[in-house]
Amino acid sequence: MATANLARAVWLGRRRYEPIHALQQRLVEARSQERAGDVILLVEHDPVITLGRAAEATNVLFSAEALAERGVDLVETGRGGDVTYHGPGQLVAYPILDLKPDRCDVRRYVRALAETMVSVAREHHVEAGVVDGMIGVWADRAAPHEWAGAEWAREIAKLGAIGVRLSRWVTMHGLALNLTVDLQAFDLIVPCGIRDHSVTSIQALTGRAPSVREVALSMAAHFTRTLGQAVSDVEDLSSETDLEARLLHDGAPGA
């Protein structure tokens, strides 16, 4: 394992997207200025559709007003990628990591995020993998316990999404893994701009799935293995009201 700073992992519980997006921005700034250490935010979002830098407006199939009536927020972000949905039953992870000096490789980092979701899926009896030319993690709906590559799969479906942004080699945004999420919510969009393949979840593939909290609290070992960086046991901050104080002040180097 590469020698690197210990990353602090925290479970935030269920939260709206925009306050956590703003928190990410403050953490990225603090990390860039060495006022905070590496941190991995683990969260379950209230229903939201997010638009990446490459998003096509036509991939959102309902107006903002119609989405609001359904209790779904619509937010533009600075991450890479197109349109995606976050909601209850989906684990979202936002690593805020300084990749300098020896991990300045975007493809390597994105691959590590994919490997993280593959590792979690395997722990819950789903074999998954990547597909050339399509970001994210995929499984075979026809044979969820097998993955020999997309060329051998009969019906690939997207199990997890990845969208990242790097600022001076400090990471932002991250991954979203479908556990028990309502798959009908993806009918509101063209997920990631891909019309030819559906979205799936651990529950849809196996008939059962752990809670988001349960998986979140197990993530330290997965990230330690895939990122090549030691990650602390996950702290439960789901009842914390002042996350900025806990993460920026408590998490400052030397604090």
PDB file of all heavy atoms in Angstrom, residues 186-220:
ATOM      1  N   PHE A 186     -35.545   6.376 -12.129  1.00  0.00           N
ATOM      2  CA  PHE A 186     -34.656   6.626 -13.267  1.00  0.00           C
ATOM      3  C   PHE A 186     -35.433   6.876 -14.555  1.00  0.00           C
ATOM      4  O   PHE A 186     -34.847   7.307 -15.553  1.00  0.00           O
ATOM      5  CB  PHE A 186     -33.677   5.469 -13.441  1.00  0.00           C
ATOM      6  CG  PHE A 186     -32.651   5.398 -12.334  1.00  0.00           C
ATOM      7  CD1 PHE A 186     -32.879   4.624 -11.208  1.00  0.00           C
ATOM      8  CD2 PHE A 186     -31.470   6.120 -12.417  1.00  0.00           C
ATOM      9  CE1 PHE A 186     -31.946   4.566 -10.180  1.00  0.00           C
ATOM     10  CE2 PHE A 186     -30.528   6.068 -11.398  1.00  0.00           C
ATOM     11  CZ  PHE A 186     -30.770   5.293 -10.274  1.00  0.00           C
ATOM     12  N   ASP A 187     -36.755   6.618 -14.532  1.00  0.00           N
ATOM     13  CA  ASP A 187     -37.577   6.921 -15.699  1.00  0.00           C
ATOM     14  C   ASP A 187     -37.767   8.429 -15.876  1.00  0.00           C
ATOM     15  O   ASP A 187     -38.264   8.875 -16.915  1.00  0.00           O
ATOM     16  CB  ASP A 187     -38.952   6.259 -15.572  1.00  0.00           C
ATOM     17  CG  ASP A 187     -38.877   4.734 -15.645  1.00  0.00           C
ATOM     18  OD1 ASP A 187     -37.871   4.215 -16.159  1.00  0.00           O
ATOM     19  OD2 ASP A 187     -39.827   4.077 -15.172  1.00  0.00           O
ATOM     20  N   LEU A 188     -37.365   9.214 -14.886  1.00  0.00           N
ATOM     21  CA  LEU A 188     -37.444  10.664 -14.987  1.00  0.00           C
ATOM     22  C   LEU A 188     -36.371  11.238 -15.907  1.00  0.00           C
ATOM     23  O   LEU A 188     -36.453  12.392 -16.322  1.00  0.00           O
ATOM     24  CB  LEU A 188     -37.303  11.301 -13.595  1.00  0.00           C
ATOM     25  CG  LEU A 188     -38.350  10.908 -12.553  1.00  0.00           C
ATOM     26  CD1 LEU A 188     -37.928  11.435 -11.182  1.00  0.00           C
ATOM     27  CD2 LEU A 188     -39.722  11.462 -12.939  1.00  0.00           C
ATOM     28  N   ILE A 189     -35.347  10.424 -16.209  1.00  0.00           N
ATOM     29  CA  ILE A 189     -34.186  10.894 -16.962  1.00  0.00           C
ATOM     30  C   ILE A 189     -33.741   9.837 -17.960  1.00  0.00           C
ATOM     31  O   ILE A 189     -34.236   8.712 -17.958  1.00  0.00           O
ATOM     32  CB  ILE A 189     -33.006  11.217 -16.008  1.00  0.00           C
ATOM     33  CG1 ILE A 189     -32.574   9.944 -15.260  1.00  0.00           C
ATOM     34  CG2 ILE A 189     -33.368  12.326 -15.037  1.00  0.00           C
ATOM     35  CD1 ILE A 189     -31.308  10.113 -14.422  1.00  0.00           C
ATOM     36  N   VAL A 190     -32.785  10.224 -18.792  1.00  0.00           N
ATOM     37  CA  VAL A 190     -31.992   9.257 -19.556  1.00  0.00           C
ATOM     38  C   VAL A 190     -30.679   9.134 -18.790  1.00  0.00           C
ATOM     39  O   VAL A 190     -29.818  10.013 -18.898  1.00  0.00           O
ATOM     40  CB  VAL A 190     -31.739   9.724 -20.997  1.00  0.00           C
ATOM     41  CG1 VAL A 190     -30.899   8.679 -21.741  1.00  0.00           C
ATOM     42  CG2 VAL A 190     -33.051   9.981 -21.714  1.00  0.00           C
ATOM     43  N   PRO A 191     -30.533   8.096 -17.958  1.00  0.00           N
ATOM     44  CA  PRO A 191     -29.388   8.045 -17.044  1.00  0.00           C
ATOM     45  C   PRO A 191     -28.052   8.127 -17.771  1.00  0.00           C
ATOM     46  O   PRO A 191     -27.750   7.318 -18.647  1.00  0.00           O
ATOM     47  CB  PRO A 191     -29.562   6.697 -16.345  1.00  0.00           C
ATOM     48  CG  PRO A 191     -31.017   6.376 -16.470  1.00  0.00           C
ATOM     49  CD  PRO A 191     -31.408   6.941 -17.807  1.00  0.00           C
ATOM     50  N   CYS A 192     -27.270   9.145 -17.418  1.00  0.00           N
ATOM     51  CA  CYS A 192     -25.939   9.355 -18.004  1.00  0.00           C
ATOM     52  C   CYS A 192     -25.984   9.468 -19.524  1.00  0.00           C
ATOM     53  O   CYS A 192     -24.983   9.249 -20.205  1.00  0.00           O
ATOM     54  CB  CYS A 192     -24.976   8.248 -17.578  1.00  0.00           C
ATOM     55  SG  CYS A 192     -24.764   8.158 -15.788  1.00  0.00           S
ATOM     56  N   GLY A 193     -27.175   9.773 -20.044  1.00  0.00           N
ATOM     57  CA  GLY A 193     -27.320   9.930 -21.490  1.00  0.00           C
ATOM     58  C   GLY A 193     -27.324   8.630 -22.261  1.00  0.00           C
ATOM     59  O   GLY A 193     -27.242   8.638 -23.493  1.00  0.00           O
ATOM     60  N   ILE A 194     -27.446   7.498 -21.562  1.00  0.00           N
ATOM     61  CA  ILE A 194     -27.384   6.183 -22.209  1.00  0.00           C
ATOM     62  C   ILE A 194     -28.810   5.634 -22.355  1.00  0.00           C
ATOM     63  O   ILE A 194     -29.463   5.316 -21.357  1.00  0.00           O
ATOM     64  CB  ILE A 194     -26.508   5.207 -21.402  1.00  0.00           C
ATOM     65  CG1 ILE A 194     -25.078   5.763 -21.298  1.00  0.00           C
ATOM     66  CG2 ILE A 194     -26.510   3.819 -22.045  1.00  0.00           C
ATOM     67  CD1 ILE A 194     -24.182   4.982 -20.361  1.00  0.00           C
ATOM     68  N   ARG A 195     -29.284   5.519 -23.571  1.00  0.00           N
ATOM     69  CA  ARG A 195     -30.652   5.066 -23.825  1.00  0.00           C
ATOM     70  C   ARG A 195     -30.756   3.557 -24.037  1.00  0.00           C
ATOM     71  O   ARG A 195     -31.846   2.998 -23.936  1.00  0.00           O
ATOM     72  CB  ARG A 195     -31.220   5.781 -25.058  1.00  0.00           C
ATOM     73  CG  ARG A 195     -31.338   7.284 -24.887  1.00  0.00           C
ATOM     74  CD  ARG A 195     -31.900   7.959 -26.129  1.00  0.00           C
ATOM     75  NE  ARG A 195     -32.023   9.404 -25.965  1.00  0.00           N
ATOM     76  CZ  ARG A 195     -33.063  10.012 -25.420  1.00  0.00           C
ATOM     77  NH1 ARG A 195     -34.102   9.297 -25.009  1.00  0.00           N
ATOM     78  NH2 ARG A 195     -33.101  11.332 -25.307  1.00  0.00           N
ATOM     79  N   ASP A 196     -29.655   2.897 -24.323  1.00  0.00           N
ATOM     80  CA  ASP A 196     -29.719   1.505 -24.768  1.00  0.00           C
ATOM     81  C   ASP A 196     -29.700   0.488 -23.635  1.00  0.00           C
ATOM     82  O   ASP A 196     -29.940  -0.700 -23.882  1.00  0.00           O
ATOM     83  CB  ASP A 196     -28.545   1.200 -25.714  1.00  0.00           C
ATOM     84  CG  ASP A 196     -28.594   2.047 -26.977  1.00  0.00           C
ATOM     85  OD1 ASP A 196     -29.711   2.466 -27.354  1.00  0.00           O
ATOM     86  OD2 ASP A 196     -27.537   2.291 -27.564  1.00  0.00           O
ATOM     87  N   HIS A 197     -29.386   0.923 -22.426  1.00  0.00           N
ATOM     88  CA  HIS A 197     -29.264  -0.022 -21.311  1.00  0.00           C
ATOM     89  C   HIS A 197     -29.993   0.505 -20.080  1.00  0.00           C
ATOM     90  O   HIS A 197     -30.043   1.710 -19.846  1.00  0.00           O
ATOM     91  CB  HIS A 197     -27.793  -0.278 -20.973  1.00  0.00           C
ATOM     92  CG  HIS A 197     -26.995  -0.786 -22.131  1.00  0.00           C
ATOM     93  ND1 HIS A 197     -27.198  -2.037 -22.663  1.00  0.00           N
ATOM     94  CD2 HIS A 197     -26.021  -0.205 -22.877  1.00  0.00           C
ATOM     95  CE1 HIS A 197     -26.366  -2.213 -23.680  1.00  0.00           C
ATOM     96  NE2 HIS A 197     -25.645  -1.118 -23.830  1.00  0.00           N
ATOM     97  N   SER A 198     -30.519  -0.409 -19.294  1.00  0.00           N
ATOM     98  CA  SER A 198     -31.300  -0.032 -18.119  1.00  0.00           C
ATOM     99  C   SER A 198     -30.405   0.109 -16.888  1.00  0.00           C
ATOM    100  O   SER A 198     -29.193  -0.121 -16.927  1.00  0.00           O
ATOM    101  CB  SER A 198     -32.377  -1.093 -17.861  1.00  0.00           C
ATOM    102  OG  SER A 198     -31.772  -2.351 -17.593  1.00  0.00           O
ATOM    103  N   VAL A 199     -31.039   0.498 -15.791  1.00  0.00           N
ATOM    104  CA  VAL A 199     -30.374   0.636 -14.499  1.00  0.00           C
ATOM    105  C   VAL A 199     -30.865  -0.485 -13.598  1.00  0.00           C
ATOM    106  O   VAL A 199     -32.020  -0.916 -13.686  1.00  0.00           O
ATOM    107  CB  VAL A 199     -30.690   2.017 -13.882  1.00  0.00           C
ATOM    108  CG1 VAL A 199     -30.091   2.149 -12.484  1.00  0.00           C
ATOM    109  CG2 VAL A 199     -30.187   3.128 -14.789  1.00  0.00           C
ATOM    110  N   THR A 200     -30.001  -0.961 -12.709  1.00  0.00           N
ATOM    111  CA  THR A 200     -30.387  -2.030 -11.805  1.00  0.00           C
ATOM    112  C   THR A 200     -29.856  -1.736 -10.404  1.00  0.00           C
ATOM    113  O   THR A 200     -29.245  -0.693 -10.153  1.00  0.00           O
ATOM    114  CB  THR A 200     -29.895  -3.398 -12.319  1.00  0.00           C
ATOM    115  OG1 THR A 200     -30.525  -4.442 -11.568  1.00  0.00           O
ATOM    116  CG2 THR A 200     -28.375  -3.527 -12.231  1.00  0.00           C
ATOM    117  N   SER A 201     -30.120  -2.647  -9.475  1.00  0.00           N
ATOM    118  CA  SER A 201     -29.706  -2.491  -8.080  1.00  0.00           C
ATOM    119  C   SER A 201     -29.367  -3.857  -7.500  1.00  0.00           C
ATOM    120  O   SER A 201     -29.728  -4.898  -8.063  1.00  0.00           O
ATOM    121  CB  SER A 201     -30.819  -1.849  -7.252  1.00  0.00           C
ATOM    122  OG  SER A 201     -31.926  -2.738  -7.142  1.00  0.00           O
ATOM    123  N   ILE A 202     -28.694  -3.848  -6.375  1.00  0.00           N
ATOM    124  CA  ILE A 202     -28.409  -5.114  -5.675  1.00  0.00           C
ATOM    125  C   ILE A 202     -29.709  -5.839  -5.370  1.00  0.00           C
ATOM    126  O   ILE A 202     -29.830  -7.053  -5.572  1.00  0.00           O
ATOM    127  CB  ILE A 202     -27.625  -4.847  -4.377  1.00  0.00           C
ATOM    128  CG1 ILE A 202     -26.277  -4.170  -4.657  1.00  0.00           C
ATOM    129  CG2 ILE A 202     -27.429  -6.149  -3.612  1.00  0.00           C
ATOM    130  CD1 ILE A 202     -25.270  -5.018  -5.364  1.00  0.00           C
ATOM    131  N   GLN A 203     -30.710  -5.113  -4.907  1.00  0.00           N
ATOM    132  CA  GLN A 203     -31.990  -5.735  -4.571  1.00  0.00           C
ATOM    133  C   GLN A 203     -32.661  -6.339  -5.799  1.00  0.00           C
ATOM    134  O   GLN A 203     -33.184  -7.463  -5.744  1.00  0.00           O
ATOM    135  CB  GLN A 203     -32.913  -4.703  -3.934  1.00  0.00           C
ATOM    136  CG  GLN A 203     -34.248  -5.285  -3.467  1.00  0.00           C
ATOM    137  CD  GLN A 203     -35.113  -4.228  -2.811  1.00  0.00           C
ATOM    138  OE1 GLN A 203     -35.385  -3.186  -3.392  1.00  0.00           O
ATOM    139  NE2 GLN A 203     -35.505  -4.483  -1.580  1.00  0.00           N
ATOM    140  N   ALA A 204     -32.650  -5.610  -6.912  1.00  0.00           N
ATOM    141  CA  ALA A 204     -33.287  -6.122  -8.124  1.00  0.00           C
ATOM    142  C   ALA A 204     -32.592  -7.366  -8.642  1.00  0.00           C
ATOM    143  O   ALA A 204     -33.239  -8.262  -9.208  1.00  0.00           O
ATOM    144  CB  ALA A 204     -33.297  -5.039  -9.200  1.00  0.00           C
ATOM    145  N   LEU A 205     -31.292  -7.457  -8.439  1.00  0.00           N
ATOM    146  CA  LEU A 205     -30.520  -8.584  -8.968  1.00  0.00           C
ATOM    147  C   LEU A 205     -30.576  -9.813  -8.067  1.00  0.00           C
ATOM    148  O   LEU A 205     -30.458 -10.944  -8.558  1.00  0.00           O
ATOM    149  CB  LEU A 205     -29.064  -8.160  -9.159  1.00  0.00           C
ATOM    150  CG  LEU A 205     -28.813  -7.110 -10.254  1.00  0.00           C
ATOM    151  CD1 LEU A 205     -27.374  -6.611 -10.179  1.00  0.00           C
ATOM    152  CD2 LEU A 205     -29.113  -7.670 -11.637  1.00  0.00           C
ATOM    153  N   THR A 206     -30.729  -9.613  -6.772  1.00  0.00           N
ATOM    154  CA  THR A 206     -30.647 -10.742  -5.828  1.00  0.00           C
ATOM    155  C   THR A 206     -31.915 -10.977  -5.026  1.00  0.00           C
ATOM    156  O   THR A 206     -32.044 -12.017  -4.381  1.00  0.00           O
ATOM    157  CB  THR A 206     -29.493 -10.528  -4.836  1.00  0.00           C
ATOM    158  OG1 THR A 206     -29.812  -9.419  -3.975  1.00  0.00           O
ATOM    159  CG2 THR A 206     -28.178 -10.273  -5.560  1.00  0.00           C
ATOM    160  N   GLY A 207     -32.821  -9.998  -5.019  1.00  0.00           N
ATOM    161  CA  GLY A 207     -34.026 -10.119  -4.212  1.00  0.00           C
ATOM    162  C   GLY A 207     -33.855  -9.637  -2.791  1.00  0.00           C
ATOM    163  O   GLY A 207     -34.812  -9.641  -2.011  1.00  0.00           O
ATOM    164  N   ARG A 208     -32.650  -9.197  -2.453  1.00  0.00           N
ATOM    165  CA  ARG A 208     -32.399  -8.678  -1.101  1.00  0.00           C
ATOM    166  C   ARG A 208     -31.202  -7.736  -1.170  1.00  0.00           C
ATOM    167  O   ARG A 208     -30.396  -7.817  -2.093  1.00  0.00           O
ATOM    168  CB  ARG A 208     -32.119  -9.806  -0.110  1.00  0.00           C
ATOM    169  CG  ARG A 208     -30.884 -10.627  -0.474  1.00  0.00           C
ATOM    170  CD  ARG A 208     -30.764 -11.873   0.387  1.00  0.00           C
ATOM    171  NE  ARG A 208     -29.538 -12.616   0.120  1.00  0.00           N
ATOM    172  CZ  ARG A 208     -29.367 -13.443  -0.902  1.00  0.00           C
ATOM    173  NH1 ARG A 208     -30.368 -13.649  -1.749  1.00  0.00           N
ATOM    174  NH2 ARG A 208     -28.222 -14.072  -1.076  1.00  0.00           N
ATOM    175  N   ALA A 209     -31.102  -6.875  -0.167  1.00  0.00           N
ATOM    176  CA  ALA A 209     -29.969  -5.961  -0.127  1.00  0.00           C
ATOM    177  C   ALA A 209     -29.862  -5.376   1.272  1.00  0.00           C
ATOM    178  O   ALA A 209     -30.869  -5.247   1.990  1.00  0.00           O
ATOM    179  CB  ALA A 209     -30.131  -4.843  -1.151  1.00  0.00           C
ATOM    180  N   PRO A 210     -28.677  -5.029   1.697  1.00  0.00           N
ATOM    181  CA  PRO A 210     -28.490  -4.391   2.997  1.00  0.00           C
ATOM    182  C   PRO A 210     -28.959  -2.942   2.949  1.00  0.00           C
ATOM    183  O   PRO A 210     -29.186  -2.370   1.877  1.00  0.00           O
ATOM    184  CB  PRO A 210     -26.973  -4.464   3.204  1.00  0.00           C
ATOM    185  CG  PRO A 210     -26.433  -4.411   1.806  1.00  0.00           C
ATOM    186  CD  PRO A 210     -27.414  -5.169   0.954  1.00  0.00           C
ATOM    187  N   SER A 211     -29.102  -2.342   4.115  1.00  0.00           N
ATOM    188  CA  SER A 211     -29.445  -0.927   4.176  1.00  0.00           C
ATOM    189  C   SER A 211     -28.257  -0.082   3.729  1.00  0.00           C
ATOM    190  O   SER A 211     -27.107  -0.534   3.748  1.00  0.00           O
ATOM    191  CB  SER A 211     -29.850  -0.537   5.595  1.00  0.00           C
ATOM    192  OG  SER A 211     -28.717  -0.593   6.454  1.00  0.00           O
ATOM    193  N   VAL A 212     -28.530   1.155   3.354  1.00  0.00           N
ATOM    194  CA  VAL A 212     -27.450   2.062   2.977  1.00  0.00           C
ATOM    195  C   VAL A 212     -26.521   2.284   4.161  1.00  0.00           C
ATOM    196  O   VAL A 212     -25.295   2.293   4.010  1.00  0.00           O
ATOM    197  CB  VAL A 212     -28.026   3.396   2.467  1.00  0.00           C
ATOM    198  CG1 VAL A 212     -26.905   4.383   2.150  1.00  0.00           C
ATOM    199  CG2 VAL A 212     -28.887   3.168   1.233  1.00  0.00           C
ATOM    200  N   ARG A 213     -27.078   2.448   5.336  1.00  0.00           N
ATOM    201  CA  ARG A 213     -26.255   2.665   6.526  1.00  0.00           C
ATOM    202  C   ARG A 213     -25.315   1.494   6.761  1.00  0.00           C
ATOM    203  O   ARG A 213     -24.128   1.680   7.057  1.00  0.00           O
ATOM    204  CB  ARG A 213     -27.132   2.886   7.757  1.00  0.00           C
ATOM    205  CG  ARG A 213     -26.342   3.137   9.043  1.00  0.00           C
ATOM    206  CD  ARG A 213     -27.263   3.343  10.243  1.00  0.00           C
ATOM    207  NE  ARG A 213     -26.509   3.709  11.425  1.00  0.00           N
ATOM    208  CZ  ARG A 213     -25.898   2.840  12.230  1.00  0.00           C
ATOM    209  NH1 ARG A 213     -25.986   1.533  11.968  1.00  0.00           N
ATOM    210  NH2 ARG A 213     -25.224   3.259  13.290  1.00  0.00           N
ATOM    211  N   GLU A 214     -25.819   0.287   6.625  1.00  0.00           N
ATOM    212  CA  GLU A 214     -25.001  -0.904   6.847  1.00  0.00           C
ATOM    213  C   GLU A 214     -23.810  -0.940   5.893  1.00  0.00           C
ATOM    214  O   GLU A 214     -22.674  -1.206   6.316  1.00  0.00           O
ATOM    215  CB  GLU A 214     -25.862  -2.161   6.667  1.00  0.00           C
ATOM    216  CG  GLU A 214     -25.112  -3.467   6.874  1.00  0.00           C
ATOM    217  CD  GLU A 214     -25.985  -4.693   6.620  1.00  0.00           C
ATOM    218  OE1 GLU A 214     -27.219  -4.560   6.615  1.00  0.00           O
ATOM    219  OE2 GLU A 214     -25.408  -5.784   6.398  1.00  0.00           O
ATOM    220  N   VAL A 215     -24.055  -0.663   4.628  1.00  0.00           N
ATOM    221  CA  VAL A 215     -22.958  -0.671   3.663  1.00  0.00           C
ATOM    222  C   VAL A 215     -22.008   0.490   3.931  1.00  0.00           C
ATOM    223  O   VAL A 215     -20.781   0.331   3.886  1.00  0.00           O
ATOM    224  CB  VAL A 215     -23.496  -0.619   2.221  1.00  0.00           C
ATOM    225  CG1 VAL A 215     -22.347  -0.558   1.224  1.00  0.00           C
ATOM    226  CG2 VAL A 215     -24.355  -1.853   1.938  1.00  0.00           C
ATOM    227  N   ALA A 216     -22.555   1.662   4.237  1.00  0.00           N
ATOM    228  CA  ALA A 216     -21.707   2.830   4.498  1.00  0.00           C
ATOM    229  C   ALA A 216     -20.717   2.550   5.619  1.00  0.00           C
ATOM    230  O   ALA A 216     -19.529   2.881   5.519  1.00  0.00           O
ATOM    231  CB  ALA A 216     -22.573   4.038   4.838  1.00  0.00           C
ATOM    232  N   LEU A 217     -21.179   1.928   6.679  1.00  0.00           N
ATOM    233  CA  LEU A 217     -20.313   1.684   7.830  1.00  0.00           C
ATOM    234  C   LEU A 217     -19.258   0.612   7.547  1.00  0.00           C
ATOM    235  O   LEU A 217     -18.314   0.456   8.327  1.00  0.00           O
ATOM    236  CB  LEU A 217     -21.154   1.288   9.048  1.00  0.00           C
ATOM    237  CG  LEU A 217     -22.094   2.387   9.578  1.00  0.00           C
ATOM    238  CD1 LEU A 217     -22.902   1.874  10.763  1.00  0.00           C
ATOM    239  CD2 LEU A 217     -21.320   3.646   9.965  1.00  0.00           C
ATOM    240  N   SER A 218     -19.384  -0.090   6.425  1.00  0.00           N
ATOM    241  CA  SER A 218     -18.403  -1.120   6.055  1.00  0.00           C
ATOM    242  C   SER A 218     -17.388  -0.631   5.024  1.00  0.00           C
ATOM    243  O   SER A 218     -16.510  -1.401   4.611  1.00  0.00           O
ATOM    244  CB  SER A 218     -19.133  -2.338   5.472  1.00  0.00           C
ATOM    245  OG  SER A 218     -19.579  -2.087   4.132  1.00  0.00           O
ATOM    246  N   MET A 219     -17.473   0.639   4.622  1.00  0.00           N
ATOM    247  CA  MET A 219     -16.725   1.087   3.445  1.00  0.00           C
ATOM    248  C   MET A 219     -15.238   1.319   3.680  1.00  0.00           C
ATOM    249  O   MET A 219     -14.467   1.395   2.710  1.00  0.00           O
ATOM    250  CB  MET A 219     -17.353   2.370   2.903  1.00  0.00           C
ATOM    251  CG  MET A 219     -18.724   2.161   2.260  1.00  0.00           C
ATOM    252  SD  MET A 219     -18.693   1.005   0.848  1.00  0.00           S
ATOM    253  CE  MET A 219     -17.732   1.942  -0.328  1.00  0.00           C
ATOM    254  N   ALA A 220     -14.794   1.459   4.908  1.00  0.00           N
ATOM    255  CA  ALA A 220     -13.381   1.761   5.150  1.00  0.00           C
ATOM    256  C   ALA A 220     -12.474   0.704   4.529  1.00  0.00           C
ATOM    257  O   ALA A 220     -11.474   1.029   3.875  1.00  0.00           O
ATOM    258  CB  ALA A 220     -13.118   1.894   6.649  1.00  0.00           C
TER     259      ALA A 220
END
